[in-house]
Amino acid sequence: MKRGLSFQSWILGGCLVVVLCTLIFVGLLLEHSLGQQMVANIRESLQPELRALRALVADRWRPEQGLSQSDALAEELGRIVGARVTLIAPDGRVLGDSEVPPAKLTALDNHAGRPEVKEALNQGQGYSVRYSTTLNLELMYTALLLERPGSGRLIVRMAVPLSHVQQTLAQIRRLVLWAVFLGVLLSIGAAYLVARSLSRPVQVLTKTAAAIAGGDLSQRFRRYPPHEIGALGRAFDQMADNLQSKINDLTRSRDRLEAILRGMVEGVLVTDDQGHILLANRALKQMLALSVDPLGRLPSEIIRNAEMIEALEEVLAGKDYVLREISTLGDRPRHLEAHVVHLSYAEGQAGVVCVLHDVTERKRVEKMRRDLVANVSHELRTPLTAVRGAAETMLDGALDSPQYARHFAELILRQSRRLERLVQDLLELARLESGEAAPKVQTIQAAELVDQVLDAVGQAAADSGVELERRLPKEPLAFKADARQIEQALLNLLDNAIKYSRRGDKVTLSMNHTADQVVIKVSDTGPGIAAEHLPRIFERFYRVDTNRSRELGGTGLGLAIVKHIAQGHGGRVAVESTPGRGSTFRLILPA
Ligand code: ADP
């Protein structure tokens, strides 16, 4: 930055010029008017001498006198009045001069042109101050015109040197010079003090302003001198305070906005009206798997999704709103819903906002619901068809034969029981899934529970020729859970174990616990489950052998219910199985 003269130098220079001009002007004025005054005084003081000269010349001078006589007269008059006296004829010839010898008189200039002579000829008395080349002196000339009948006209001129006046004026000039010198010194000192008291705060103010402009908003002027710069400083500090609080407000709202955008599960993208990306939140970068910084880029440069780019371009081209479903590929394929809206956010400024919702989960649930409806319809249709078939057969004549009638009535009863079980299991599952059936936790005595469930399945086991065994730790075991739900889960597991075992197989219900979990184990020596089915058997309606399951009265929902009960308790269910050797189901609950 080019720096001009400092504030201080301007004030110093300005004062100096003013003081010099003033003093010189006053000095010159003083000298001039004093000179005038002194000359006027001298002129006044010469009046008596002039009167004496007039009387003497009138008495002594004769027009017929020769040059030597008139010169002698001039000399005598000069002596009397103590000044140079010149006698001049009306035509300007010098007739006598007290300071010039008679021989040189004729060499003198004609004096008709001298101002005092001209004036005397016109007005009777003339006056002039001039430098005499004859005497090399500043002189005051006073001339009188003498006119008397008979003796003609004569001009008497008296000249007094003004050396005294000149000396006085020279003295005054010296005094003025001294005054100028002292004045300059004093004014330099005073101006320096004033300038310093002004320029110091200005320098501090400049430094503060520069610091603030450089970004350090904590800087303040603070020391306020008692003049205008103090007021300026105070206003400046106030401005900085306001600026600071405005910036704080802006920063806060920006941080809030950033936090909101960061915390949003929806992806947000904002572009200007040319399509350059102004903002993209984290969710959006993750959803679209953006690896580069998108700011300032065009969507088409970084987003590898034609549908998304098309939607953005449609809105940039003028549409108000576009809703598009897009799918992304990659490690985690997603279904996204893109809402693209035209946005005008400030005077003449527009752009596009795109909000991405991840609808993958919703799509999955929708698909599950569709599958469930299809499965349930399918499951219901079989027993219903059987019931309808039996009823129709009975009406077609079987009723007439008590033997057939009984057979079909039994069939109807079996199928309706199956329907009942199906509906019960569906309701149970729906309750567990909806979260309505939050476990009602109470203390359960393990021995009591085991006795209860083994009692319940005892008859079925006996009918199937399956041996039941219970294994409990020696010390009494109690744990906290929803008794009805755990009983239901164990009944489902035992029911399966007995159902799928063959005559002579053995089913064991055992329980043990560690510090943080209770493990209830149902194992059988039945046919086991092939490894490829294991990951799916807890899904609803998944069966290894559908026909066999149906024959045995299974609904395909038993294990799904067990899984939900375990999860509702914060636990899980696990299975191990070796085909031909048997299966082991473990219900693991947090203690
Ligand atoms: P289901 O009503 O068909 O028994 P589940 O959900 O209870 O339905 O069981 C799902 C499938 O898992 C059954 O169809 C069966 O194929 C298999 N399964 C369950 N428990 C056993 C077991 N103890 N031994 C052999 N297979 C079993």
Side-chain angles (χ1 to χ4, degrees):
M1 188 175 67
K2 193 183 157 225
R3 282 189 69 150
L5 277 178
S6 76
F7 192 40
Q8 213 161 336
S9 324
W10 275 108
I11 294 182
L12 275 175
C15 280
L16 216 57
V17 168
V18 170
V19 167
L20 267 176
C21 288
T22 313
L23 286 176
I24 289 172
F25 178 71
V26 167
L28 288 176
L29 203 68
L30 197 68
E31 189 184 323
H32 178 74
S33 69
L34 263 176
Q36 296 274 52
Q37 188 62 44
M38 285 172 80
V39 168
N41 285 347
I42 291 171
R43 198 175 148 196
E44 200 52 42
S45 68
L46 287 179
Q47 290 305 318
E49 272 90 348
L50 282 175
R51 275 195 298 277
L53 272 181
R54 181 190 290 268
L56 283 169
V57 172
D59 186 40
R60 306 261 191 96
W61 190 72
R62 301 288 172 270
E64 60 278 6
Q65 279 177 339
L67 266 187
S68 56
Q69 282 154 327
S70 47
D71 190 50
L73 176 62
E75 206 165 311
E76 191 187 345
L77 291 173
R79 256 198 321 276
I80 292 170
V81 294
R84 178 185 173 197
V85 173
T86 316
L87 298 175
I88 305 159
D91 58 3
R93 275 179 304 115
V94 178
L95 302 175
D97 192 309
S98 59
E99 310 273 309
V100 183
K104 285 191 177 172
L105 277 178
T106 47
L108 288 176
D109 304 343
N110 186 303
H111 276 35
R114 301 286 199 273
E116 70 280 3
V117 175
K118 272 196 200 158
E119 206 184 327
L121 282 170
N122 285 333
Q123 291 164 19
Q125 187 163 13
Y127 157 84
S128 164
V129 173
R130 247 176 317 105
Y131 193 80
S132 157
T133 45
T134 319
L135 300 174
N136 284 331
L137 264 178
E138 178 97 324
L139 293 171
M140 179 193 275
Y141 296 95
T142 319
L144 276 177
L145 177 67
L146 298 183
E147 233 170 342
R148 264 194 337 182
S151 55
R153 299 202 298 170
L154 176 73
I155 290 160
V156 182
R157 190 181 74 170
M158 188 170 81
V160 283
L162 289 180
S163 45
H164 170 64
V165 174
Q166 277 171 331
Q167 275 165 14
T168 311
L169 287 182
Q171 216 164 350
I172 287 174
R173 211 172 290 137
R174 269 198 300 280
L175 278 175
V176 167
L177 278 178
W178 271 110
V180 168
F181 178 67
L182 277 177
V184 165
L185 269 189
L186 279 176
S187 62
I188 284 180
Y192 174 75
L193 289 178
V194 169
R196 205 179 60 161
S197 86
L198 288 179
S199 76
R200 271 275 173 83
V202 170
Q203 278 166 5
V204 178
L205 195 59
T206 312
K207 234 171 80 182
T208 315
I212 289 181
D216 181 2
L217 276 178
S218 65
Q219 293 289 330
R220 292 291 180 278
F221 181 54
R222 278 201 192 96
R223 278 162 303 161
Y224 309 115
H227 44 65
E228 283 89 337
I229 292 174
L232 178 64
R234 204 166 281 128
F236 182 84
D237 280 359
Q238 222 161 46
M239 186 189 75
D241 286 345
N242 288 344
L243 196 66
Q244 171 104 60
S245 89
K246 285 258 157 58
I247 288 180
N248 286 349
D249 283 353
L250 282 177
T251 312
R252 261 199 300 278
S253 33
R254 189 202 58 194
D255 290 350
R256 209 175 300 140
L257 182 68
E258 272 180 6
I260 292 171
L261 286 170
R262 238 195 337 268
M264 273 175 81
V265 275
E266 289 86 3
V268 180
L269 179 92
V270 181
T271 76
D272 62 14
D273 55 356
Q274 300 300 307
H276 295 106
I277 297 173
L278 300 176
L279 184 154
N281 72 349
R282 200 169 49 189
L284 182 120
K285 289 183 208 160
Q286 278 169 359
M287 284 176 182
L288 298 177
L290 299 185
S291 48
V292 286
D293 182 10
L295 294 192
R297 316 281 285 261
L298 287 171
S300 54
E301 292 169 7
I302 50 161
I303 300 175
R304 300 269 157 266
N305 190 301
E307 294 139 305
M308 167 98 181
I309 296 196
E310 206 178 270
L312 286 168
E313 275 168 1
E314 278 175 30
V315 175
L316 275 171
K319 273 198 185 166
D320 278 340
Y321 174 71
V322 169
L323 170 61
R324 194 63 47 90
E325 264 192 30
I326 62 179
S327 313
T328 63
L329 304 170
D331 306 342
R332 289 176 62 219
R334 313 256 84 192
H335 289 287
L336 304 173
E337 218 171 60
H339 298 258
V340 191
V341 204
H342 179 263
L343 165 87
S344 26
Y345 49 91
E347 185 92 10
Q349 294 211 14
V352 170
V353 180
C354 169
V355 179
L356 289 184
H357 294 276
D358 188 337
V359 291
T360 315
E361 181 59 20
R362 198 182 79 199
K363 290 263 168 197
R364 193 184 67 80
V365 172
E366 276 170 8
K367 182 174 182 300
M368 252 171 64
R369 192 171 300 139
R370 274 198 308 274
D371 290 352
L372 179 71
V373 171
N375 280 331
V376 170
S377 321
H378 181 73
E379 289 296 326
L380 290 175
R381 197 180 301 126
T382 320
L384 280 176
T385 313
V387 168
R388 202 180 86 188
E392 277 171 1
T393 317
M394 279 167 90
L395 290 176
D396 278 350
L399 262 183
D400 300 335
S401 149
Q403 188 196 346
Y404 281 123
R406 186 174 180 82
H407 170 75
F408 286 112
E410 276 171 2
L411 194 144
I412 289 175
L413 184 66
R414 245 194 342 266
Q415 293 300 337
S416 42
R417 279 202 183 121
R418 192 175 151 198
L419 272 173
E420 202 183 343
R421 273 199 307 276
L422 196 62
V423 171
Q424 259 171 8
D425 281 0
L426 275 172
L427 284 176
E428 179 72 28
L429 203 57
R431 247 203 346 263
L432 287 167
E433 276 185 342
S434 72
E436 267 172 43
K440 294 187 191 68
V441 177
Q442 64 192 82
T443 306
I444 299 172
Q445 297 302 329
E448 269 175 38
L449 176 74
V450 167
D451 287 346
Q452 223 165 309
V453 290
L454 286 182
D455 252 14
V457 297
Q459 189 55 52
D463 291 350
S464 314
V466 172
E467 188 193 337
L468 286 179
E469 193 189 344
R470 53 174 271 178
R471 253 188 241 158
L472 279 172
K474 287 199 179 68
E475 70 279 14
L477 169 62
F479 60 98
K480 282 196 155 50
D482 183 320
R484 196 196 66 77
Q485 286 188 8
I486 299 298
E487 190 185 326
Q488 171 77 63
L490 292 188
L491 282 176
N492 286 5
L493 291 176
L494 285 169
D495 182 52
N496 279 349
I498 295 166
K499 209 160 60 180
Y500 295 109
S501 291
R502 295 145 301 191
R503 197 161 275 281
D505 276 333
K506 189 160 113 184
V507 171
T508 311
L509 174 60
S510 60
M511 247 190 223
N512 55 50
H513 69 103
T514 62
D516 52 2
Q517 59 189 27
V518 174
V519 182
I520 308 172
K521 210 159 79 175
V522 176
S523 44
D524 63 64
T525 55
I529 306 161
E532 75 257 31
H533 299 294
L534 288 179
R536 297 196 62 191
I537 54 167
F538 294 101
E539 286 175 19
R540 38 165 111 79
F541 296 120
Y542 188 84
R543 295 158 169 122
V544 174
D545 178 346
T546 310
N547 287 336
R548 178 150 168 71
S549 158
R550 287 217 181 105
E551 255 170 46
L552 296 170
T555 59
L557 296 172
L559 287 182
I561 291 173
V562 175
K563 185 182 83 176
H564 273 95
I565 290 175
Q567 285 174 350
H569 280 80
R572 64 193 169 90
V573 62
V575 58
E576 283 160 28
S577 184
T578 316
R581 304 277 298 271
S583 319
T584 300
F585 286 85
R586 253 194 222 92
L587 182 62
I588 303 156
L589 304 172

